[in-house]
Amino acid sequence: MVPHLTTALNGPLLSLEKSMLDAMPKIEHWFRSQWLEYSSPFYASVDLRNSGFKLAPVDTNLFPGGFNNLNPDFLPLSVQAAMIAVEKVCPEAHRLLIIPENHTRNTYYLRNVVELVNIMKQAGLDVRVGSISPEITEPTKLETHDGHTLLLEPVVRVGNRIKLINAELGDFDSCAILLNNDLSAGIPAILENLEQNLIPPLHAGWSTRRKSQHFAAYNRVASEFSALLGIDEWLLNPYFDTCGEIDFHARTGEECLALKVEELLAKIKIKYAQYGVTQEPFVIVKADAGTYGMGIMTVKSPDDVRDLNRKARNKMSVVKEGLQVSEVIIQEGVYTFESINDAVAEPVVYMMDHFVIGGFYRVHTGRGIDENLNAPGSQFVPLAFEKPCTTPDCAGAPDAAPNRFYAYGVVARLALLAAAIELQEQDPLNQ
């Protein structure tokens, strides 16, 4: 199913896709040289927005939780990429411990863990799932919404290693530990100073990571890439700014936020005028740390962030795990003009190591083209690649399905590269 793009594709985006197709050998060579310099994250997912005049990443997740939403036809891509990714981290690995999120009641999330286990097993690893949740005190079988079962075992720390102790199945001590837990609530002591390979590293978690650091790195990547192709960087890069020391409850920092919103809207208006875009510019204000679509609002005027009502302030002040918001990122809003069965849609691209392995459309019937779709009520439609994202049809039209998906894969990999730079620069060992 190729989604419907509601704009006539004869403007900047068509030109952007054509530039990418024409420069494909140059692009792939450039990526290869970048991966010699930077170590790719183990896995990641990137939320993209396609407005017909702009194609840009709006979020990059280093602990992706939707492997169950990928097209099963492309499982071999995931398995192959997983083999390469594991080889890099721990070449002699034959056991892998996966540590998931603590929310064991979300059966769709558990289905994601089942799929992740399946990929890693097919990559030739002995895989078990260990929980750091205080609720899991003994081996516990959980069932997903579609009838799959998942065994969670409590993790035990022994010296500088974590293990599973199980009389029935045998103890489990692994070379590598794969985190599928984004550490929003902070770094638990049980994971600190381990001698085992922890992937992704602890500083990739939301307890220390900031979206603004990621997009600062993306600015540099997009700038270099755009110079390579001779295109306007804005076509694939959203403007952003930050506002620290905000307290939505105490209503401090509001004026700083309103001023930054005003400045960003003015910059976007100039670009809209340059490209003849008739839509109203908007920005997204969201917590600088955190995920799950919490603490996010669409803003079209500085007045929208002055005099927020109590409900809006409450919504903006807390994110996942009940963490208080004191820093926000103000990001240029990118309209999505893609739809599936008349519902607003946005592509999410999944990568393992530096390979695109698939993706899906996040679809929401209750949200508008200028709103965050990562919200309760969203549904997922696998990206039905006729071919993988990395194999465009260079003889076909720039907006043909494989070529659209190639453009998605390129922009997603730019965000992945930004994450690699971000992780390298934020690594405590490099401080």
Side-chain angles (χ1 to χ4, degrees), residues 155-322:
V155 167
V156 177
R157 179 144 179 164
V158 181
N160 286 338
R161 300 182 75 81
I162 56 174
K163 304 179 180 183
L164 303 178
I165 310 293
N166 189 319
E168 190 179 333
L169 292 177
D171 297 349
F172 193 80
D173 185 358
S174 64
C175 155
I177 297 150
L178 178 60
L179 284 178
N180 198 242
N181 180 318
D182 66 20
L183 308 177
S184 288
I187 297 171
I190 197 169
L191 296 181
E192 289 183 333
N193 303 314
L194 292 175
E195 62 185 40
Q196 289 145 300
N197 287 298
L198 202 56
I199 43 180
L202 293 176
H203 66 275
W206 285 123
S207 49
T208 51
R209 188 177 176 231
R210 294 293 177 267
K211 292 172 187 173
S212 52
Q213 290 165 348
H214 173 72
F215 282 100
Y218 185 79
N219 276 350
R220 286 146 52 193
V221 168
S223 174
E224 187 179 331
F225 180 80
S226 302
L228 181 78
L229 263 63
I231 59 171
D232 181 353
E233 177 190 334
W234 179 76
L235 296 174
L236 41 81
N237 191 5
Y239 290 136
F240 81 94
D241 207 336
T242 57
C243 187
E245 303 306 315
I246 190 157
D247 186 326
F248 286 100
H249 279 313
R251 307 191 68 165
T252 56
E254 269 185 17
E255 203 46 48
C256 150
L257 182 55
L259 191 65
K260 296 282 181 78
V261 165
E262 191 168 24
E263 289 170 356
L264 213 52
L265 286 170
K267 282 177 74 175
I268 301 165
K269 271 180 188 159
I270 291 167
K271 279 297 182 185
Y272 275 24
Q274 181 184 336
Y275 285 98
V277 177
T278 55
Q279 279 78 23
E280 185 182 4
F282 70 101
V283 297
I284 298 289
V285 176
K286 53 188 173 183
D288 203 9
T291 183
Y292 281 85
M294 300 174 76
I296 296 180
M297 64 179 171
T298 300
V299 174
K300 295 189 174 177
S301 153
D303 292 336
D304 292 350
V305 295
R306 294 184 180 110
D307 308 319
L308 285 176
N309 63 32
R310 182 180 294 178
K311 184 181 176 185
R313 289 203 310 274
N314 286 344
K315 181 185 154 200
M316 287 301 297
S317 63
V318 176
V319 290
K320 187 183 167 198
E321 305 281 1

Side-chain angles (χ1 to χ4, degrees), residues 286-406:
K286 53 188 173 183
D288 203 9
T291 183
Y292 281 85
M294 300 174 76
I296 296 180
M297 64 179 171
T298 300
V299 174
K300 295 189 174 177
S301 153
D303 292 336
D304 292 350
V305 295
R306 294 184 180 110
D307 308 319
L308 285 176
N309 63 32
R310 182 180 294 178
K311 184 181 176 185
R313 289 203 310 274
N314 286 344
K315 181 185 154 200
M316 287 301 297
S317 63
V318 176
V319 290
K320 187 183 167 198
E321 305 281 1
L323 296 182
Q324 296 295 312
V325 174
S326 61
E327 303 164 273
V328 293
I329 180 170
I330 306 119
Q331 188 178 57
E332 174 187 346
V334 182
Y335 284 95
T336 177
F337 289 127
E338 293 192 276
S339 61
I340 290 177
N341 298 335
D342 297 325
V344 178
E346 66 185 11
V348 183
V349 175
Y350 270 57
M351 288 156 292
M352 199 170 275
D353 196 74
H354 60 269
F355 303 100
V356 173
I357 58 168
F360 53 82
Y361 273 94
R362 184 181 286 121
V363 182
H364 207 302
T365 53
R367 290 283 169 121
I369 57 175
D370 59 354
E371 290 184 287
N372 165 51
L373 304 188
N374 188 5
S378 59
Q379 298 169 304
F380 307 99
V381 178
L383 286 179
F385 304 125
E386 291 165 23
K387 299 176 180 177
C389 273
T390 44
T391 53
D393 175 7
C394 292
D399 60 341
N403 298 338
R404 168 84 49 76
F405 292 141
Y406 177 68

Side-chain angles (χ1 to χ4, degrees), residues 35 38 41 60 62 209 213-222 412-425:
W35 296 126
Y38 299 103
T60 300
L62 297 179
R209 188 177 176 231
Q213 290 165 348
H214 173 72
F215 282 100
Y218 185 79
N219 276 350
R220 286 146 52 193
V221 168
R413 284 183 288 160
L414 292 177
L416 184 75
L417 177 57
I421 294 169
E422 170 201 357
L423 287 180
Q424 186 170 304
E425 292 182 347

